């Protein structure tokens, strides 16, 4: 509590520090006032008076008193927004009374420090975030992308993936967001694969043919893994539909989805291709006969050879844990490969060449994974031991 005559003395002092104290006291008194309306009006008039003080210290003390309050008078905060840079920056960053309409018009002309201040506000709406990103300042855009509390529209994220996904730092920030649309995530994975393909250290360490196989297999895994995650969302159909429209759902992709245990993505693909309810497709895959599976796959528009191969794979998968067991995957892929060779007498039809090549590649990859798993289990068994001949001491000749 300060006596009125003491307040008048402070507010009329020649010392800017004392006037600043008066301005700060006025701000606190206004925000905490409980009483007659004429008293509130008098306090408001005092605040207006301090806006015209020639000292930036006084106006800063006024701003500091009102800065974080939702009850601060909007006209005063808007006036402080036009004040010196240090005051305006604080108001931009902290004042909760400013709304999107106040800020969006300013963003187009703000300098970098002011733009950073806006990007650090406690609450940023998708509309305001889009306006900030539209300025094209990469550092500020990255700051927003790394804030998990800021909701960004899917269209904006997809646009950034398309236009800025070639930059590794931007790509990493986008991929780290859980709200990134599935299509944009797949696009960024493909851009990352292209970057790896062009990296000198990678090209120097891995033969070109093997690098192509590894990257293609990785992209297929990403495609089906993203689809598997989308399967629990309402956007799953849109993701799969886009893949089908752009001809990215091939026999190889369908095989890979089952082999890697991404069963729900496989179900969504078949449901979209066959225009059949998802629940019905899942039931057929789980318990349907060989003839019923072939009928479903025929409705998907797949050729006879591919239909038979996928039906066999589904029947094998019912008895195996393909999601987590590399040895089970290796067994299934080996069985399919041997059945194809035996059935066609070593002359694989053109329709099945891509699928057969995929199975052959996976056979090698999965054999290595299965072997590593076996050796790891063997090493963990302390009772197991390899037979090693004991060294003999060679005695010198007499």
């Amino acid at each position: 509590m300060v006596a009125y005559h003491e307040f008048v003395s402070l507010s009329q002092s020649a010392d800017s520090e004392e006037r600043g104290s008066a301005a700060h006291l006025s701000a606190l008194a206004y925000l905490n006032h409980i009483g007659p309306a004429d008293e509130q009006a008098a306090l408001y008039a005092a605040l207006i008076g301090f806006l015209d003080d020639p000292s930036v210290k006084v106006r800063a003390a006024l701003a500091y008193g009102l800065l974080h309050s939702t009850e601060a008078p909007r006209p005063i905060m808007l006036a402080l927004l036009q004040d010196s840079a240090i005051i305006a920056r604080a108001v931009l960053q902290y004042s909760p009374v400013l709304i999107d309409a106040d800020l969006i018009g300013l963003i187009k002309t703000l300098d970098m420090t002011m733009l950073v201040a806006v990007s650090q506000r406690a609450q940023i709406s998708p509309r305001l975030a889009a306006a900030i990103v539209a300025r094209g300042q990469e550092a500020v855009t990255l700051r927003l992308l790394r804030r998990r509390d800021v909701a960004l529209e899917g269209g904006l994220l997809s646009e950034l993936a398309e236009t800025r996904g070639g930059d590794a730092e931007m790509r990493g920030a986008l991929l780290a967001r859980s709200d990134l649309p599935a299509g944009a995530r797949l696009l960024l994975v493909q851009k990352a694969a292209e970057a790896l393909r062009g990296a000198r250290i990678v090209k120097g360490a891995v033969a070109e043919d093997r690098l192509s196989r590894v990257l293609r297999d990785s992209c297929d895994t990403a495609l089906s893994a993203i689809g598997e995650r989308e399967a629990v969302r309402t956007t799953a159909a849109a993701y799969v539909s886009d893949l089908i429209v752009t001809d990215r759902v091939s026999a190889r992709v369908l095989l890979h989805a089952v082999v890697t245990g991404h069963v729900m993505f496989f179900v969504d693909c078949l449901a979209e291709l066959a225009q059949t309810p998802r629940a019905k497709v899942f039931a057929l895959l789980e318990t349907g006969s060989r003839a019923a599976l072939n009928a479903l796959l025929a409705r998907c528009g797949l050729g006879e050879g591919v239909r038979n191969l996928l039906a066999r794979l589904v029947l094998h998968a019912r008895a195996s844990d393909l999601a987590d067991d590399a040895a089970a995957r290796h067994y299934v892929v080996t069985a399919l490969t041997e059945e194809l060779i035996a059935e066609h007498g070593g002359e694989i039809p053109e329709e099945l060449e891509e699928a057969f090549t995929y199975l052959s590649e996976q056979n090698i990859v999965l054999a290595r994974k299965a072997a590593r798993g076996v050796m790891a289990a063997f090493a963990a068994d302390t009772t197991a031991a390899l037979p090693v001949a004991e060294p003999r001491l060679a005695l010198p000749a007499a």
Side-chain angles (χ1 to χ4, degrees):
M1 299 294 295
V2 178
Y4 180 72
H5 68 278
E6 293 179 6
F7 170 78
V8 170
S9 175
L10 287 173
S11 61
Q12 294 179 352
S13 171
D15 185 353
S16 61
E17 293 285 350
E18 293 185 350
R19 296 200 310 277
S21 296
H24 189 69
L25 287 171
S26 296
L28 297 181
Y30 178 87
L31 296 177
N32 295 289
H33 178 264
I34 300 174
D38 56 346
E39 290 182 2
Q40 186 83 349
L43 288 169
Y44 182 77
L47 299 182
I48 294 291
F50 285 115
L51 286 176
D52 296 325
D53 195 286
S55 172
V56 69
K57 290 182 180 180
V58 175
R59 302 194 303 275
L62 174 66
Y64 180 71
L66 300 171
L67 200 55
H68 298 281
S69 175
T70 57
E71 303 300 322
R74 271 181 51 79
I76 291 179
M77 301 313 294
L78 291 174
L80 291 170
L81 193 57
Q82 308 299 324
D83 211 301
S84 64
I86 190 170
I87 296 175
R89 188 161 59 245
V91 173
L92 279 173
Q93 181 171 345
Y94 296 110
S95 178
V97 303
L98 299 181
I99 61 175
D100 286 358
D102 299 321
L103 299 169
I104 289 175
L106 293 172
I107 283 175
K108 298 176 182 178
T109 58
L110 293 177
D111 61 25
M112 187 63 175
T113 57
M114 294 295 187
L115 196 62
V116 169
V118 177
S119 72
Q120 292 176 327
R121 286 179 64 84
Q123 301 292 330
I124 297 180
S125 69
R127 183 185 173 200
L128 181 58
I132 295 172
V133 171
R135 281 292 304 271
Q137 297 292 335
E138 185 168 324
V140 181
T141 300
L142 281 170
R143 184 186 295 273
L144 281 181
L145 288 174
R146 289 168 178 160
R147 284 186 59 175
R148 300 295 177 266
D149 60 313
V150 175
L152 298 175
E153 294 178 349
L156 176 61
L157 293 172
S158 296
E159 181 183 350
L160 286 172
E162 181 71 35
T163 58
R164 311 289 288 278
D167 178 76
E169 193 172 11
M170 186 70 69
R171 189 166 59 240
L174 284 165
L175 286 170
R177 293 191 65 91
S178 60
D179 56 352
L180 182 69
R185 188 173 298 278
L186 180 59
L187 174 64
L188 291 174
V189 169
Q190 293 167 342
K191 287 181 179 289
E194 292 170 6
L196 282 172
R197 189 188 299 276
R200 290 180 60 186
I201 189 171
V202 175
K203 291 193 295 185
V206 184
E208 184 176 351
D209 289 345
R210 185 182 177 193
L211 178 60
S212 296
R213 289 195 302 271
V214 169
L215 292 179
R216 183 178 183 183
D217 189 58
S218 299
C219 287
D220 287 344
T221 300
L223 184 148
S224 60
I226 293 170
E228 188 74 3
R229 193 180 71 166
E230 287 295 300
V232 300
R233 302 183 179 184
T234 57
T235 55
Y239 175 70
V240 172
S241 178
D242 183 60
L243 292 178
I244 292 172
V245 168
T246 53
D247 293 325
R248 283 184 283 180
V249 177
S250 60
R252 176 190 175 96
V253 168
L254 293 174
L255 284 170
H256 194 70
V258 181
V259 169
T260 53
H262 297 143
V263 178
M264 299 310 298
F265 171 66
F266 181 66
V267 170
D268 285 339
C269 287
L270 296 186
E272 187 69 23
L273 287 168
Q275 292 298 293
T276 302
R278 186 187 195 194
K280 184 176 180 180
V281 172
F282 191 81
L284 284 172
L285 293 177
E286 194 170 33
T287 59
S289 65
R290 177 76 174 267
L293 289 174
N294 268 287
L296 171 65
L297 295 170
R299 189 165 179 175
C300 293
L302 300 173
E304 183 180 359
V306 175
R307 292 202 305 268
N308 289 329
L309 179 61
L310 284 173
R312 286 174 180 170
L313 178 57
V314 170
L315 294 174
H316 280 298
R318 286 176 181 174
S320 307
D321 179 14
L322 300 184
D324 301 310
D325 192 341
R329 291 190 212 172
H330 179 239
Y331 166 76
V332 169
V333 169
T334 300
L336 283 175
T337 305
E338 292 176 351
E339 287 173 10
L340 279 177
I341 294 173
E343 181 178 348
H344 299 285
E347 297 291 334
I348 304 300
E350 184 177 350
E351 179 189 8
L352 295 175
E353 283 182 354
E354 182 184 24
F356 184 78
T357 300
Y358 166 78
L359 291 173
S360 298
E361 292 173 357
Q362 287 298 306
N363 219 347
I364 299 170
V365 173
L366 293 172
R368 287 174 173 163
K369 287 184 179 179
R372 285 196 292 268
V374 169
M375 292 306 296
F378 183 82
D381 184 358
T382 56
T383 63
L386 291 174
V388 179
E390 293 184 3
R392 295 183 180 180
L393 180 64
L395 297 176

Coordinates of all heavy atoms in Angstrom, one line a residue, residues 80 88 131 133 248 261 346 372 387:
L80 N 1.9 -0.3 -26.5 CA 3.3 -0.8 -26.1 C 3.9 -1.7 -27.3 O 5.1 -1.7 -27.4 CB 3.2 -1.6 -24.8 CG 2.9 -0.8 -23.6 CD1 2.6 -1.7 -22.4 CD2 4.0 0.2 -23.3
A88 N 8.5 -3.9 -27.3 CA 7.6 -4.5 -28.3 C 7.9 -6.0 -28.4 O 7.0 -6.9 -28.5 CB 7.8 -3.9 -29.7
A131 N 1.3 -18.6 -40.7 CA 1.8 -17.3 -41.1 C 3.3 -17.1 -40.8 O 4.0 -16.5 -41.6 CB 1.0 -16.2 -40.4
V133 N 5.5 -19.6 -40.7 CA 6.3 -20.4 -41.6 C 6.3 -19.8 -43.0 O 7.3 -19.9 -43.7 CB 5.6 -21.8 -41.7 CG1 6.2 -22.7 -42.8 CG2 5.8 -22.6 -40.4
R248 N 2.0 -47.7 -56.4 CA 3.0 -48.1 -55.5 C 2.7 -49.4 -54.7 O 3.5 -49.8 -53.8 CB 3.4 -47.0 -54.5 CG 4.2 -45.9 -55.2 CD 4.6 -44.8 -54.2 NE 3.5 -43.9 -54.0 CZ 3.6 -42.9 -53.1 NH1 4.7 -42.6 -52.5 NH2 2.5 -42.1 -52.9
G261 N 5.5 -58.8 -41.2 CA 4.5 -58.8 -40.1 C 3.6 -57.6 -40.0 O 2.9 -57.4 -39.0
G346 N 12.0 -74.8 -62.3 CA 13.2 -73.9 -62.4 C 12.9 -72.8 -63.4 O 13.7 -71.8 -63.5
R372 N 22.4 -64.7 -36.8 CA 22.8 -63.9 -35.7 C 22.0 -64.2 -34.5 O 22.6 -64.2 -33.4 CB 22.7 -62.4 -36.1 CG 23.8 -61.9 -37.1 CD 23.8 -60.4 -37.1 NE 22.6 -59.9 -37.7 CZ 22.5 -59.6 -39.0 NH1 23.5 -59.8 -39.8 NH2 21.4 -59.1 -39.5
P387 N 33.9 -77.4 -29.2 CA 35.1 -78.3 -29.0 C 36.4 -77.7 -29.5 O 36.4 -77.3 -30.7 CB 34.7 -79.6 -29.8 CG 33.7 -79.1 -30.8 CD 33.0 -78.0 -30.2

